[in-house]
Amino acid sequence: MISPDDPQLRTLGQASGPALILYDGDCVLCSGWFRFVAQRDAERRFLFTAIQSPFGRALAERYGIDPDNPQSNAVLIDGTVNLKSDSAIAAISALPGYGWVRVFRLVPKALRDPLYSMIARNRYRWFGRNEACWMGGARYADRVIG
């Protein structure tokens, strides 16, 4: 697990640094999102932190996400903080072979974000809840900020 004091985090989310996905580790759907990105991130561009970790909680609060009831993931990449539907588009389109996902930015946020919010509100009921915050296990320990 990466320490929040690690020097590589000084450029976190900047064009010259690693990208970050802030996700809800209690949510089965969100943990699946983590695995989806991590498995396809051949360049290992993304780091991850759960909103339930001290580092993730502080980031959530900084970006206006309620850490006790998170209704959005956040993706910090290339100097931009992406929330709601923009977070999914930003992360997936950065993966090899998924650049075409950028086309979804043509759909107005006024349409995308309500759909995202509906899923976020119902995610535990529809997809379930992890018994413990999912932090990636040993396979991803070198990519998770604790």
Side-chain angles (χ1 to χ4, degrees), residues 12-94:
L12 190 67
Q14 298 174 16
S16 62
L20 175 79
I21 293 179
L22 174 66
Y23 69 100
D24 180 357
D26 289 342
C27 169
V28 171
L29 176 65
C30 304
S31 298
W33 154 248
F34 170 145
R35 282 189 298 278
F36 177 89
V37 173
Q39 289 169 356
R40 289 158 181 81
D41 183 20
E43 296 176 12
R44 301 175 61 82
R45 183 174 187 193
F46 285 98
L47 298 177
F48 305 87
T49 193
I51 289 170
Q52 291 77 13
S53 72
F55 184 77
R57 185 175 188 86
L59 281 178
E61 290 172 347
R62 181 182 311 160
Y63 298 119
I65 299 170
D66 178 355
D68 296 318
N69 185 25
Q71 296 298 306
S72 180
N73 289 305
V75 174
L76 288 64
I77 187 170
D78 296 332
T80 304
V81 177
N82 299 274
L83 301 172
K84 298 203 175 211
S85 62
D86 285 340
S87 68
I89 294 169
I92 295 171
S93 66

Side-chain angles (χ1 to χ4, degrees), residues 89-109:
I89 294 169
I92 295 171
S93 66
L95 299 173
Y98 288 89
W100 60 269
V101 170
R102 287 183 191 91
V103 74
F104 289 106
R105 288 205 188 259
L106 297 174
V107 176
K109 280 180 64 72

